[in-house]
Amino acid sequence: RMFHDDELEESEKFYVGQPRVLLLIYALYNTLVARSEMVCYFVIILNHMISASMITLVLPILIFLWAMLSVPRPSKRFWMTAIVYTEVAIVIKYFFQFGFFPWNKHVDYTKDKPYHPPNIIGIEKKEGYVHYDLVQLLALFFHRSILKCHGLWDEDEKADSSSNKEDTDDELSLTGGRRDSSASLKSVNLAASVESIHVHFPEQQTAIRRKSSSSISQLSHRSSFSSHRSKRGSTSTRNSSQKGSSVLSIKQKSRKELLMEKFREQMIKAKAFTIKKALQVYVPIRQFFYNLIHPDYSAVTDVYVLMFLADTVDFIIIVFGFWAFGKHSAAADITSSLSEDQVPEAFLVMVLIQFGTMVVDRALYLKKTVMGKVIFQVILVFGIHFWMFFILPGVTERKFSQNTVAQLWYFVKCVYFGLSAYQIRCGYPTRVLGNFLTKSYNYVNLFLFQGFRLVPFLTELRAVMDWVWTDTTLSLSSWICVEDIYAHIFILKCWRESEKRYPQPRGQKKKKVVKYGMGGMIIVLLICIVWFPLLFMSLIKSVAGITNKPLDVSITITLGGYQPIFTMSAQQNQLKSLEPNEFNEFLGSYRGNTAALQFLEGYGREDITRAELEGNSNSLWTISPPSRKKMIQGLLDCEAEFTVVLSWSIQRSCLTQLLQGHGLRDCAKASLAPVMFCSWCEAWGRGREVLSLCQTHLSPGLRTLEEVYPYYIKAPSDSLAKPIKQLLRDCKWENITVSLVKNVSEEGVREWWVLNQNEKRKKTPQESLELFIFSDKVSPPSLGFLAGYGIMGLYASVVLVIGKFVREFFSGISHSIMFEELPNVDRILKLCTDIFLVRETGELELEEDLYAKLIFLYRSPETMIKWTREK
């Protein structure tokens, strides 16, 4: 070997023999060194995300509008600006940490106020106020050392010194000629002073030049040097012109006129100085962006896909974390807000802004206008930073550093800014051919492309935008036709490539793995779809159901259509669950009763509630004397039927409230919207049992109403409550006793009714009623939207709809054989790409011819067969 060195070979062997962990550390360090400028950008952005102040705002803006746009790399001036600015920021923050400043005396009160001036500026007193600034300064010095090691730190200065030597000779010759020509001037005016500022603007040559970022400093030095020489020339001209006529003019002018003349001269000098300084700032910036828009060479690249993905991630962050961009919405949920037909303003504004930027970015990409992209980048950088760090804290009433979702959104947007700057620096591609997913023909691209086409309105919106912002002679319908043909041919191409990779020999039967793997999965899937509603509704409540116990149980008894004679309700402590021994005793009482046991199998101990109602009515019997007399006459009429109506109502928390506050029984009446379960018993002719009670003034005793009281009530989740006949003895309802109590006092006569149940499971000495409620389980919150449809609703909305789509795959295949079974689609695919290519090159007449050829190909089966034969 010609170049053989034993030491290098031994060094390489030593390096390869190191542990893998050490080699990984070496690799990470080399990556850090190779991308040290990205490390600096990351640290600066991280510092700004945490500090979120005006002091740290300057460097991120300079990164996106200066450093990342510089070709081929950021200049020394930028890195020196960043280093000096960071050092000054550290000193300023340290100086304002002293306690004698008035805003540092109430730090605990003002530290969370977003619009407190020290918090906005970044000079508030806090712990670790310069930690991230020191890390930022360390990263900048690390990058500076790497540039010095590679000889790139002083590269700009060498280029400046070499160019300045050539420019100096030109400036001296130009100013010398101007000095001779200006000797004839008689006076000094504004026009002469302005003209004396000699600035060379870049000439618009036919061959566009690209200068490096060092040209900014060259132009500033050149303009200042020429201004200085021109100023000297103008001064000498003024002096020479005044020598001849100064003696005569001074004697004739008054003191006031001399002062006014001197004042005018000073004003002219001030204007000239202001214009000179403004040009010194404007010209380098203008030259910088001019070189950026009109490059000499362009390393064309296409990062639109990455920018689109960054915008998509930001869109997802807005949708799932929109509460972070609004006021008093920290606990809100977008699904609940939309279900109530309420669109949050913060969500709407952020979504529209994000979607609008994506549309504008697509338009700029299709038009390939770098100038528009530069203007859009500048507007977006300033607008996003102004919104995120000045407007959003006031809207949310919390600092940006305390808003995690906003920080995540801003970081992803910074990634987008970096990609956008890279796209501007390299330039747009000259040709945009097809979708980025159609570059390769494999299963990954196939499934991603089909998923892309399944997104609602995305394919249509993309096609229309491409037609609007692309030069073409095709109509919108023709454009969509070409796009659809290209998508169909691409899918066929992917399947044909897969058949080539995994060929099937002729005459060989399909393997069992394929048949049972694919066919068995389809069979299981179809069976599950057919029987899904029954399985779902049977398992949703028995396995994953939630017990929804009653919150209020009320009983009301009415005689005919008159005022109710008895009203009572049970709440809270009066609604009790059965103890284990009580539940076992309850089940034992129905031993041998098959119908009752079958009913009780669907309920557990937690699903049964015993309501204990007080026997005394909670309201007085307030009936007017005429109505009372009429009611007594109706009771005396033996031929007419007088009914006793017993009604009950059971209140439970509704499903929507149960999803958010399950178990809030203590405040159910106040905050939860109850669901009413009401039913009425049949009419019985037993009202005359209370006739004697109504006619007497004192309580004569008890009267029994037979088979009027429903002891067991079932409360379903989606229908009215009804009595349970399987648990009744001989299918007969329970008997209750009624009595009228009268209390005569100075305030008058008060009457109320007292009811008592004869046979109760829990014996009590006081008059009372006992009622057992069997509550059906409700579906869990995560599956409530499906359970609400019911079995018939699921069959109608899910099974039939899915069956319709499945039927499309198994029927109508014969009509599409001509376009689906194409052996070789390479020629058609090339024809589509040729249409895209001639469109990008501006050959619009050829585009029309190729489109007509494509349409004729699909209209002619014989030509299609010839074009799709195997080669």
Side-chain angles (χ1 to χ4, degrees):
R1 289 176 294 178
M2 185 178 298
F3 302 101
H4 176 69
D5 192 346
D6 295 334
E7 293 183 359
L8 291 178
E9 188 173 353
E10 292 178 1
S11 175
E12 185 177 356
K13 290 181 180 180
F14 174 78
Y15 176 78
V16 174
Q18 296 300 316
R20 291 184 179 273
V21 178
L22 189 59
L23 293 177
L24 178 62
I25 295 175
Y26 287 157
L28 292 177
Y29 175 75
N30 291 332
T31 304
L32 190 68
V33 171
R35 300 297 180 198
S36 57
E37 71 278 0
M38 300 303 297
V39 176
C40 295
Y41 299 157
F42 174 76
V43 174
I44 290 173
I45 293 172
L46 181 64
N47 183 20
H48 182 53
M49 288 172 58
I50 295 175
S51 301
S53 60
M54 294 180 62
I55 292 180
T56 58
L57 179 62
V58 177
L59 289 182
I61 295 179
L62 292 180
I63 286 175
F64 300 128
L65 299 182
W66 182 7
M68 288 188 174
L69 296 177
S70 300
V71 179
R73 67 186 63 86
S75 62
K76 176 183 176 181
R77 178 174 296 179
F78 169 77
W79 296 116
M80 287 302 300
T81 302
I83 292 173
V84 173
Y85 186 85
T86 305
E87 293 174 347
V88 172
I90 292 174
V91 173
I92 292 175
K93 288 184 178 181
Y94 171 76
F95 177 74
F96 285 100
Q97 295 300 309
F98 293 104
F100 55 79
F101 290 101
W103 57 80
N104 290 337
K105 297 180 181 179
H106 306 284
V107 178
D108 296 335
Y109 177 72
T110 60
K111 65 179 181 180
D112 294 331
K113 290 186 176 181
Y115 281 168
H116 187 55
N119 295 341
I120 297 177
I121 300 173
I123 56 176
E124 73 277 10
K125 184 177 181 180
K126 61 180 180 180
E127 295 293 334
Y129 59 96
V130 291
H131 287 173
Y132 289 93
D133 294 280
L134 293 176
V135 174
Q136 175 178 316
L137 189 61
L138 181 64
L140 291 172
F141 276 114
F142 174 71
H143 178 67
R144 175 174 174 268
S145 66
I146 292 174
L147 291 179
K148 284 193 170 185
C149 290
H150 291 83
L152 299 175
W153 182 253
D154 297 328
E155 183 183 18
D156 299 334
E157 292 183 355
K158 295 177 181 178
D160 292 344
S161 61
S162 62
S163 61
N164 285 336
K165 288 182 179 179
E166 300 176 357
D167 296 338
T168 303
D169 299 333
D170 298 336
E171 294 294 336
L172 288 175
S173 61
L174 289 173
T175 52
R178 181 167 297 183
R179 186 181 306 165
D180 296 336
S181 62
S182 61
S184 61
L185 295 177
K186 300 296 182 180
S187 61
V188 179
N189 52 22
L190 177 61
S193 300
V194 173
E195 289 177 356
S196 66
I197 302 172
H198 181 65
V199 179
H200 288 286
F201 290 96
E203 298 180 358
Q204 306 292 334
Q205 301 178 358
T206 56
I208 301 174
R209 301 178 302 166
R210 171 185 284 275
K211 296 183 180 181
S212 63
S213 58
S214 61
S215 61
I216 302 174
S217 58
Q218 296 176 17
L219 285 173
S220 61
H221 289 317
R222 186 183 303 176
S223 61
S224 61
F225 180 79
S226 60
S227 302
H228 178 67
R229 301 289 294 177
S230 301
K231 184 178 179 181
R232 290 174 55 189
S234 62
T235 305
S236 62
T237 302
R238 187 178 66 248
N239 293 334
S240 62
S241 62
Q242 288 179 355
K243 285 181 180 179
S245 58
S246 59
V247 179
L248 297 175
S249 61
I250 293 175
K251 294 180 180 179
Q252 298 176 358
K253 294 180 180 179
S254 63
R255 182 179 181 87
K256 182 177 180 181
E257 292 177 349
L258 291 174
L259 292 176
M260 292 297 297
E261 185 177 352
K262 290 182 179 180
F263 177 74
R264 291 193 197 97
E265 292 180 359
Q266 295 298 326
M267 289 296 297
I268 293 172
K269 291 180 180 179
K271 291 180 180 179
F273 180 79
T274 303
I275 294 174
K276 182 184 71 173
K277 293 299 181 182
L279 290 176
Q280 288 179 357
V281 175
Y282 165 74
V283 171
I285 296 176
R286 180 181 179 275
Q287 182 64 30
F288 175 77
F289 285 102
Y290 178 82
N291 292 336
L292 190 66
I293 297 172
H294 304 87
D296 185 17
Y297 60 90
S298 180
V300 174
T301 186
D302 189 358
V303 293
Y304 173 75
V305 176
L306 299 178
M307 290 191 294
F308 179 77
L309 291 178
D311 279 335
T312 304
V313 172
D314 270 340
F315 191 83
I316 294 173
I317 292 174
I318 293 173
V319 171
F320 290 96
F322 81 102
W323 50 266
F325 304 99
K327 184 178 179 181
H328 303 311
S329 57
D333 185 12
I334 184 61
T335 56
S336 61
S337 299
L338 295 180
S339 63
E340 297 174 359
D341 296 332
Q342 296 179 357
V343 180
E345 296 180 358
F347 171 76
L348 181 61
V349 171
M350 292 298 295
V351 165
L352 292 180
I353 291 176
Q354 184 65 38
F355 191 77
T357 56
M358 295 171 70
V359 173
V360 174
D361 210 4
R362 179 68 180 178
L364 295 174
Y365 174 72
L366 294 173
K367 299 299 290 184
K368 306 180 187 64
T369 167
V370 179
M371 179 181 292
K373 183 64 177 177
V374 171
I375 297 174
F376 184 66
Q377 174 87 344
V378 173
I379 294 175
L380 208 58
V381 167
F382 282 103
I384 291 298
H385 284 84
F386 182 75
W387 163 259
M388 296 300 293
F389 299 99
F390 295 99
I391 303 300
L392 185 64
V395 174
T396 59
E397 295 187 352
R398 58 181 180 271
K399 297 170 63 176
F400 178 83
S401 58
Q402 299 173 351
N403 196 336
T404 306
V405 178
Q407 288 178 330
L408 181 60
W409 187 89
Y410 173 72
F411 181 77
V412 178
K413 184 59 71 174
C414 288
V415 174
Y416 166 81
F417 286 147
L419 294 171
S420 181
Y422 181 71
Q423 183 73 79
I424 294 172
R425 191 175 62 190
C426 296
Y428 279 112
T430 55
R431 296 177 180 89
V432 180
L433 303 178
N435 196 310
F436 71 96
L437 294 174
T438 61
K439 305 303 180 183
S440 300
Y441 309 106
N442 49 44
Y443 281 121
V444 177
N445 288 66
L446 173 62
F447 294 136
L448 288 177
F449 182 72
Q450 289 181 334
F452 172 81
R453 290 172 58 85
L454 288 176
V455 177
F457 301 107
L458 184 58
T459 303
E460 294 81 2
L461 184 62
R462 175 184 176 274
V464 175
M465 287 194 301
D466 290 359
W467 180 74
V468 170
W469 288 303
T470 303
D471 297 332
T472 180
T473 60
L474 301 181
S475 62
L476 180 59
S477 59
S478 301
W479 181 285
I480 295 175
C481 179
V482 174
E483 291 290 331
D484 185 66
I485 292 175
Y486 179 72
H488 178 66
I489 295 300
F490 169 75
I491 295 173
L492 291 179
K493 177 65 175 176
C494 292
W495 286 119
R496 298 301 172 262
E497 291 295 326
S498 64
E499 291 174 358
K500 292 179 182 179
R501 294 191 185 98
Y502 310 102
Q504 174 70 23
R506 293 185 61 185
Q508 184 178 354
K509 63 179 182 180
K510 290 292 183 181
K511 297 180 181 180
K512 292 184 178 181
V513 176
V514 178
K515 296 180 69 175
Y516 287 100
M518 181 183 297
M521 184 175 63
I522 294 176
I523 292 173
V524 172
L525 183 62
L526 292 177
I527 293 175
C528 291
I529 292 175
V530 171
W531 299 108
F532 166 75
L534 294 178
L535 294 174
F536 178 79
M537 296 305 296
S538 63
L539 296 178
I540 189 64
K541 296 181 180 180
S542 60
V543 178
I546 299 175
T547 302
N548 189 14
K549 293 187 176 182
L551 305 174
D552 181 88
V553 178
S554 301
I555 294 292
T556 302
I557 297 179
T558 306
L559 293 178
Y562 297 96
Q563 193 75 14
I565 64 172
F566 181 83
T567 303
M568 179 52 65
S569 62
Q571 299 174 356
Q572 297 180 358
N573 296 332
Q574 298 171 340
L575 301 175
K576 299 179 180 180
S577 300
L578 296 181
E579 299 294 334
N581 55 350
E582 294 178 344
F583 180 70
N584 295 331
E585 183 180 352
F586 185 84
L587 294 178
S589 61
Y590 292 100
R591 189 171 300 166
N593 190 344
T594 306
L597 293 177
Q598 184 179 2
F599 174 81
L600 293 174
E601 283 183 358
Y603 296 90
R605 183 176 62 87
E606 67 278 0
D607 301 328
I608 305 175
T609 303
R610 183 178 63 231
E612 299 177 354
L613 295 99
E614 178 70 24
N616 293 282
S617 177
N618 58 4
S619 60
L620 296 175
W621 190 37
T622 55
I623 185 172
S624 61
S627 297
R628 182 169 182 162
K629 182 178 180 181
K630 188 175 181 180
M631 184 184 69
I632 294 174
Q633 291 177 356
L635 291 172
L636 293 174
D637 189 0
C638 298
E639 296 180 356
E641 185 179 81
F642 199 90
T643 60
V644 175
V645 179
L646 188 145
S647 61
W648 59 85
S649 66
I650 300 175
Q651 300 179 7
R652 297 191 300 175
S653 58
C654 65
L655 183 60
T656 56
Q657 295 292 341
L658 184 65
L659 302 184
Q660 299 180 0
H662 175 61
L664 300 178
R665 300 185 183 88
D666 52 346
C667 59
K669 292 290 287 184
S671 63
L672 299 183
V675 181
M676 302 293 296
F677 300 93
C678 302
S679 181
W680 291 268
C681 62
E682 293 85 356
W684 290 276
R686 307 188 184 278
R688 296 175 182 84
E689 297 290 341
V690 297
L691 175 61
S692 58
L693 300 179
C694 299
Q695 291 178 332
T696 58
H697 294 282
L698 297 175
S699 178
L702 302 177
R703 295 294 182 268
T704 302
L705 299 180
E706 298 180 356
E707 301 179 12
V708 296
Y709 186 70
Y711 199 9
Y712 309 101
I713 294 178
K714 178 183 178 181
S717 58
D718 55 354
S719 60
L720 299 178
K722 51 188 176 182
I724 306 171
K725 298 181 179 180
Q726 294 91 330
L727 302 182
L728 299 176
R729 299 175 183 175
D730 300 330
C731 295
K732 294 181 179 180
W733 290 16
E734 299 295 328
N735 302 332
I736 58 173
T737 60
V738 297
S739 61
L740 180 63
V741 177
K742 296 184 180 181
N743 183 12
V744 181
S745 62
E746 296 178 356
E747 299 178 357
V749 179
R750 296 180 180 179
E751 297 177 323
W752 68 89
W753 293 84
V754 179
L755 272 67
N756 187 31
Q757 186 178 350
N758 295 336
E759 298 182 2
K760 294 179 289 188
R761 291 185 177 272
K762 187 177 180 180
K763 304 297 182 180
T764 55
Q766 297 85 8
E767 293 84 356
S768 63
L769 298 176
E770 192 177 46
L771 191 66
F772 283 88
I773 299 99
F774 291 79
S775 303
D776 285 352
K777 292 182 181 295
V778 296
S779 58
S782 58
L783 300 174
F785 68 99
L786 282 177
Y789 288 102
I791 295 177
M792 299 305 298
L794 287 177
Y795 267 109
S797 60
V798 178
V799 177
L800 295 180
V801 174
I802 296 177
K804 182 179 179 181
F805 283 102
V806 172
R807 180 61 58 84
E808 292 181 358
F809 289 98
F810 288 87
S811 62
I813 301 177
S814 59
H815 303 290
S816 60
I817 290 177
M818 175 181 172
F819 305 104
E820 296 289 344
E821 300 299 329
L822 301 178
N824 187 3
V825 295
D826 292 344
R827 296 184 182 92
I828 305 177
L829 189 63
K830 186 178 183 303
L831 180 58
C832 294
T833 54
D834 288 343
I835 294 176
F836 300 153
L837 183 60
V838 299
R839 180 189 299 154
E840 292 293 330
T841 55
E843 301 289 340
L844 300 183
E845 293 182 0
L846 187 56
E847 179 192 11
E848 289 185 358
D849 296 339
L850 293 178
Y851 173 71
K853 186 177 182 179
L854 180 64
I855 296 301
F856 174 77
L857 185 63
Y858 270 82
R859 291 178 58 223
S860 175
E862 295 181 359
T863 310
M864 179 69 76
I865 292 174
K866 293 179 181 179
W867 268 61
T868 56
R869 287 175 180 173
E870 290 289 349
K871 296 179 181 179

